Amino acid sequence: MFSKTKRYFLRKYIREHRVDRQRQVSSLKQARSVGILCEITNEDSYKNIYALFSKLQMESKTVRLVGYVNEKEVPFYCLPQLTCDFFSNKHLNWYGKPMMPQLLDFTKLDFDILIDFNYRDNAPVESLLALTKSKFIIGQNQGTSQYYDLFINDTNKDYAHFLEAIYKYTSKLSGNE
């Protein structure tokens, strides 16, 4: 019962504060700024997502990473950096809205592409998707597909495989294939 009440208030907050954004199709190759949303479930998932984060940075892109950890505290292996932030349940208000200032700053950034690497429903990540000003949002989670401009139905839960699919489909959509 209590979780239904929390979900109701989060949905109400999202409806009232959802951003009307300027949508623009862009290929991942041509994008200058990329935002990454993900859930860190263990140290391996952190290493995998950080490898993709580093790969995109090596391509001379401005990349910002926000990772959600569904625990009370952020684990020791999630090292915050200037363009890399992690948050846990401690950083949420009572109904699940992220309250960390870095997360609010993340939603105000106007990324060329925002990639949601989540494959499970996470209310805090959903609220970040609803509040972002990003021009082109890509994801694979059926539960939050209403926020995506491009939904890629990828049942493979490998981050690198999903990133390759994004390169392929965004190139086709933007006519740069």
Side-chain angles (χ1 to χ4, degrees):
M1 165 101 175
F2 190 62
S3 64
K4 287 183 180 183
T5 305
K6 291 166 78 172
R7 191 82 168 154
Y8 168 79
F9 280 105
L10 183 62
R11 295 257 185 235
K12 181 179 177 190
Y13 173 80
I14 289 172
R15 274 193 314 274
E16 292 172 356
H17 294 90
R18 189 167 181 182
V19 175
D20 186 29
R21 54 191 181 85
Q22 299 293 326
R23 293 180 168 101
Q24 180 180 351
V25 175
S26 177
S27 72
L28 191 53
K29 279 186 180 175
Q30 293 178 332
R32 292 185 315 267
S33 61
V34 178
I36 297 175
L37 281 173
C38 64
E39 179 183 15
I40 304 298
T41 54
N42 56 34
E43 193 168 358
D44 288 337
S45 68
Y46 168 77
K47 289 177 181 177
N48 291 336
I49 203 71
Y50 194 78
L52 297 178
F53 171 76
S54 298
K55 177 184 176 184
L56 290 171
Q57 281 186 323
M58 297 292 278
E59 295 176 4
S60 300
K61 298 180 187 319
T62 304
V63 185
R64 182 88 190 263
L65 168 68
V66 169
Y68 171 62
V69 181
N70 191 8
E71 296 176 15
K72 187 171 176 107
E73 296 283 335
V74 175
F76 68 93
Y77 52 81
C78 294
L79 303 172
Q81 300 174 14
L82 189 59
T83 59
C84 195
D85 293 305
F86 300 95
F87 69 104
S88 65
N89 294 332
K90 181 175 92 172
H91 301 104
L92 307 174
N93 71 0
W94 69 272
Y95 58 84
K97 176 187 159 211
M99 298 301 294
M100 200 165 125
Q102 295 89 330
L103 301 177
L104 302 176
D105 292 343
F106 180 83
T107 60
K108 293 176 184 171
L109 295 173
D110 190 15
F111 296 111
D112 292 333
I113 294 179
L114 176 67
I115 304 171
D116 178 18
F117 280 98
N118 290 288
Y119 54 88
R120 297 188 304 188
D121 290 343
N122 293 314
V125 173
E126 182 179 347
S127 64
L128 293 175
L129 285 170
L131 300 175
T132 186
K133 293 182 179 181
S134 299
K135 295 175 187 151
F136 195 50
I137 302 175
I138 303 169
Q140 62 183 346
N141 183 2
Q142 185 73 38
T144 55
S145 62
Q146 72 267 21
Y147 302 110
Y148 301 150
D149 300 312
L150 176 61
F151 172 71
I152 299 175
N153 191 7
D154 188 4
T155 56
N156 187 343
K157 295 177 181 172
D158 179 45
Y159 294 142
H161 184 269
F162 183 57
L163 188 64
E164 290 304 317
I166 291 171
Y167 273 111
K168 175 182 169 184
Y169 291 119
T170 57
S171 292
K172 286 182 179 185
L173 282 174
S174 62
N176 296 326
E177 184 178 19

